[in-house]
mmCIF file of all heavy atoms in Angstrom:
data_model
loop_
_atom_site.group_PDB
_atom_site.id
_atom_site.type_symbol
_atom_site.label_atom_id
_atom_site.label_comp_id
_atom_site.label_asym_id
_atom_site.label_seq_id
_atom_site.Cartn_x
_atom_site.Cartn_y
_atom_site.Cartn_z
ATOM 1 N N ALA A 12 36.615 123.151 52.155
ATOM 2 C CA ALA A 12 35.837 123.817 53.194
ATOM 3 C C ALA A 12 34.599 124.420 52.554
ATOM 4 O O ALA A 12 34.592 124.774 51.378
ATOM 5 C CB ALA A 12 36.673 124.902 53.866
ATOM 6 N N GLY A 18 29.520 134.089 54.580
ATOM 7 C CA GLY A 18 30.836 134.153 53.954
ATOM 8 C C GLY A 18 31.943 133.590 54.824
ATOM 9 O O GLY A 18 33.119 133.776 54.537
ATOM 10 N N GLN A 19 31.595 132.883 55.879
ATOM 11 C CA GLN A 19 32.594 132.317 56.789
ATOM 12 C C GLN A 19 33.025 130.934 56.321
ATOM 13 O O GLN A 19 32.246 130.190 55.742
ATOM 14 C CB GLN A 19 32.024 132.228 58.202
ATOM 15 C CG GLN A 19 31.674 133.584 58.765
ATOM 16 C CD GLN A 19 30.922 133.482 60.074
ATOM 17 O OE1 GLN A 19 30.200 132.521 60.321
ATOM 18 N NE2 GLN A 19 31.099 134.476 60.929
ATOM 19 N N VAL A 20 34.286 130.620 56.597
ATOM 20 C CA VAL A 20 34.863 129.326 56.234
ATOM 21 C C VAL A 20 35.616 128.797 57.448
ATOM 22 O O VAL A 20 36.339 129.540 58.102
ATOM 23 C CB VAL A 20 35.851 129.472 55.048
ATOM 24 C CG1 VAL A 20 36.518 128.148 54.742
ATOM 25 C CG2 VAL A 20 35.149 130.019 53.821
ATOM 26 N N ALA A 25 44.356 120.483 59.328
ATOM 27 C CA ALA A 25 45.667 120.259 58.699
ATOM 28 C C ALA A 25 46.255 121.562 58.181
ATOM 29 O O ALA A 25 47.467 121.802 58.299
ATOM 30 C CB ALA A 25 45.541 119.243 57.569
ATOM 31 N N ILE A 26 45.421 122.432 57.637
ATOM 32 C CA ILE A 26 45.896 123.724 57.106
ATOM 33 C C ILE A 26 46.277 124.645 58.257
ATOM 34 O O ILE A 26 47.287 125.343 58.201
ATOM 35 C CB ILE A 26 44.827 124.373 56.199
ATOM 36 C CG1 ILE A 26 44.455 123.455 55.041
ATOM 37 C CG2 ILE A 26 45.295 125.739 55.719
ATOM 38 C CD1 ILE A 26 45.605 123.070 54.134
ATOM 39 N N ARG A 27 45.464 124.652 59.326
ATOM 40 C CA ARG A 27 45.802 125.489 60.491
ATOM 41 C C ARG A 27 47.137 125.080 61.073
ATOM 42 O O ARG A 27 47.952 125.933 61.434
ATOM 43 C CB ARG A 27 44.700 125.387 61.552
ATOM 44 C CG ARG A 27 43.390 126.038 61.126
ATOM 45 C CD ARG A 27 42.444 126.262 62.296
ATOM 46 N NE ARG A 27 42.225 125.117 63.151
ATOM 47 C CZ ARG A 27 41.166 124.295 63.080
ATOM 48 N NH1 ARG A 27 40.250 124.488 62.144
ATOM 49 N NH2 ARG A 27 41.036 123.308 63.934
ATOM 50 N N ILE A 32 48.345 128.515 62.565
ATOM 51 C CA ILE A 32 47.226 129.406 62.881
ATOM 52 C C ILE A 32 46.526 128.914 64.143
ATOM 53 O O ILE A 32 46.187 127.748 64.264
ATOM 54 C CB ILE A 32 46.225 129.459 61.711
ATOM 55 C CG1 ILE A 32 46.897 130.062 60.483
ATOM 56 C CG2 ILE A 32 44.984 130.253 62.100
ATOM 57 C CD1 ILE A 32 46.077 129.955 59.227
ATOM 58 N N ASP A 36 44.310 134.516 65.741
ATOM 59 C CA ASP A 36 45.294 134.952 64.746
ATOM 60 C C ASP A 36 44.602 135.660 63.585
ATOM 61 O O ASP A 36 43.438 135.403 63.286
ATOM 62 C CB ASP A 36 46.082 133.758 64.179
ATOM 63 C CG ASP A 36 47.140 133.242 65.138
ATOM 64 O OD1 ASP A 36 47.371 133.876 66.179
ATOM 65 O OD2 ASP A 36 47.731 132.190 64.834
ATOM 66 N N ILE A 38 44.510 136.386 59.497
ATOM 67 C CA ILE A 38 44.845 135.702 58.261
ATOM 68 C C ILE A 38 44.978 136.740 57.154
ATOM 69 O O ILE A 38 44.173 137.663 57.048
ATOM 70 C CB ILE A 38 43.738 134.688 57.871
ATOM 71 C CG1 ILE A 38 43.484 133.706 59.007
ATOM 72 C CG2 ILE A 38 44.076 133.971 56.585
ATOM 73 C CD1 ILE A 38 44.680 132.892 59.390
ATOM 74 N N VAL A 41 46.426 137.090 49.909
ATOM 75 C CA VAL A 41 47.248 137.789 48.932
ATOM 76 C C VAL A 41 46.873 137.317 47.531
ATOM 77 O O VAL A 41 46.881 136.114 47.254
ATOM 78 C CB VAL A 41 48.749 137.509 49.181
ATOM 79 C CG1 VAL A 41 49.608 138.246 48.169
ATOM 80 C CG2 VAL A 41 49.138 137.887 50.599
ATOM 81 N N GLY A 44 47.965 136.555 40.757
ATOM 82 C CA GLY A 44 47.389 136.227 39.451
ATOM 83 C C GLY A 44 45.926 135.855 39.596
ATOM 84 O O GLY A 44 45.143 136.609 40.146
ATOM 85 N N LYS A 46 44.851 133.341 41.404
ATOM 86 C CA LYS A 46 44.610 132.619 42.650
ATOM 87 C C LYS A 46 44.845 133.533 43.839
ATOM 88 O O LYS A 46 45.433 134.609 43.718
ATOM 89 C CB LYS A 46 45.485 131.369 42.736
ATOM 90 C CG LYS A 46 46.958 131.616 42.590
ATOM 91 C CD LYS A 46 47.703 130.299 42.540
ATOM 92 C CE LYS A 46 49.143 130.581 42.139
ATOM 93 N NZ LYS A 46 49.962 129.405 42.148
ATOM 94 N N ASN A 51 49.367 133.093 57.425
ATOM 95 C CA ASN A 51 49.310 133.645 58.769
ATOM 96 C C ASN A 51 49.922 135.045 58.700
ATOM 97 O O ASN A 51 51.063 135.208 58.268
ATOM 98 C CB ASN A 51 50.093 132.734 59.715
ATOM 99 C CG ASN A 51 49.997 133.148 61.152
ATOM 100 O OD1 ASN A 51 49.941 134.326 61.462
ATOM 101 N ND2 ASN A 51 49.986 132.186 62.038
ATOM 102 N N LYS A 62 63.445 140.075 55.407
ATOM 103 C CA LYS A 62 63.909 140.564 54.112
ATOM 104 C C LYS A 62 64.506 141.974 54.249
ATOM 105 O O LYS A 62 65.511 142.297 53.626
ATOM 106 C CB LYS A 62 62.772 140.562 53.103
ATOM 107 C CG LYS A 62 63.211 140.905 51.707
ATOM 108 C CD LYS A 62 62.109 140.726 50.696
ATOM 109 C CE LYS A 62 62.643 141.008 49.315
ATOM 110 N NZ LYS A 62 61.668 140.775 48.273
ATOM 111 N N ALA A 63 63.873 142.799 55.099
ATOM 112 C CA ALA A 63 64.358 144.168 55.292
ATOM 113 C C ALA A 63 65.755 144.193 55.911
ATOM 114 O O ALA A 63 66.545 145.083 55.616
ATOM 115 C CB ALA A 63 63.378 144.948 56.169
ATOM 116 N N GLY A 72 79.581 143.367 60.129
ATOM 117 C CA GLY A 72 80.651 142.446 60.498
ATOM 118 C C GLY A 72 80.241 141.399 61.513
ATOM 119 O O GLY A 72 81.076 140.838 62.213
ATOM 120 N N LYS A 74 79.256 137.876 62.581
ATOM 121 C CA LYS A 74 79.442 136.525 62.029
ATOM 122 C C LYS A 74 78.855 135.439 62.916
ATOM 123 O O LYS A 74 78.605 134.338 62.463
ATOM 124 C CB LYS A 74 80.924 136.252 61.805
ATOM 125 C CG LYS A 74 81.570 137.185 60.807
ATOM 126 C CD LYS A 74 83.062 136.888 60.650
ATOM 127 C CE LYS A 74 83.707 137.947 59.794
ATOM 128 N NZ LYS A 74 84.340 139.005 60.571
ATOM 129 N N ASP A 78 79.325 137.992 68.377
ATOM 130 C CA ASP A 78 79.377 139.317 67.746
ATOM 131 C C ASP A 78 78.119 140.119 68.087
ATOM 132 O O ASP A 78 78.178 141.332 68.303
ATOM 133 C CB ASP A 78 79.527 139.198 66.232
ATOM 134 C CG ASP A 78 80.896 138.694 65.816
ATOM 135 O OD1 ASP A 78 81.832 138.728 66.640
ATOM 136 O OD2 ASP A 78 81.024 138.256 64.645
ATOM 137 N N GLU A 85 78.017 147.319 73.250
ATOM 138 C CA GLU A 85 78.471 148.622 72.752
ATOM 139 C C GLU A 85 77.326 149.627 72.722
ATOM 140 O O GLU A 85 77.484 150.780 73.152
ATOM 141 C CB GLU A 85 79.041 148.469 71.339
ATOM 142 C CG GLU A 85 80.384 147.795 71.261
ATOM 143 C CD GLU A 85 80.846 147.605 69.817
ATOM 144 O OE1 GLU A 85 80.473 148.436 68.961
ATOM 145 O OE2 GLU A 85 81.561 146.628 69.562
ATOM 146 N N GLU A 89 76.940 153.088 74.841
ATOM 147 C CA GLU A 89 76.720 154.388 74.192
ATOM 148 C C GLU A 89 75.487 155.068 74.751
ATOM 149 O O GLU A 89 75.501 156.267 75.021
ATOM 150 C CB GLU A 89 76.570 154.203 72.681
ATOM 151 C CG GLU A 89 77.851 153.862 71.969
ATOM 152 C CD GLU A 89 77.628 153.523 70.495
ATOM 153 O OE1 GLU A 89 76.497 153.699 69.997
ATOM 154 O OE2 GLU A 89 78.593 153.067 69.853
ATOM 155 N N GLY A 91 74.116 154.572 77.646
ATOM 156 C CA GLY A 91 74.394 154.944 79.033
ATOM 157 C C GLY A 91 75.130 156.267 79.103
ATOM 158 O O GLY A 91 74.826 157.128 79.927
ATOM 159 N N GLU A 92 76.106 156.467 78.223
ATOM 160 C CA GLU A 92 76.857 157.726 78.153
ATOM 161 C C GLU A 92 75.930 158.860 77.737
ATOM 162 O O GLU A 92 76.012 159.961 78.271
ATOM 163 C CB GLU A 92 78.015 157.604 77.160
ATOM 164 C CG GLU A 92 79.122 156.701 77.610
ATOM 165 C CD GLU A 92 79.784 157.206 78.897
ATOM 166 O OE1 GLU A 92 80.019 158.420 79.008
ATOM 167 O OE2 GLU A 92 80.042 156.377 79.771
#
Side-chain angles (χ1 to χ4, degrees):
Q19 298 171 330
V20 176
I26 302 301
R27 291 195 310 261
I32 296 171
D36 284 353
I38 305 300
V41 180
K46 56 186 170 176
N51 185 325
K62 187 173 183 176
K74 298 179 188 96
D78 290 343
E85 287 177 30
E89 288 173 8
E92 290 298 318

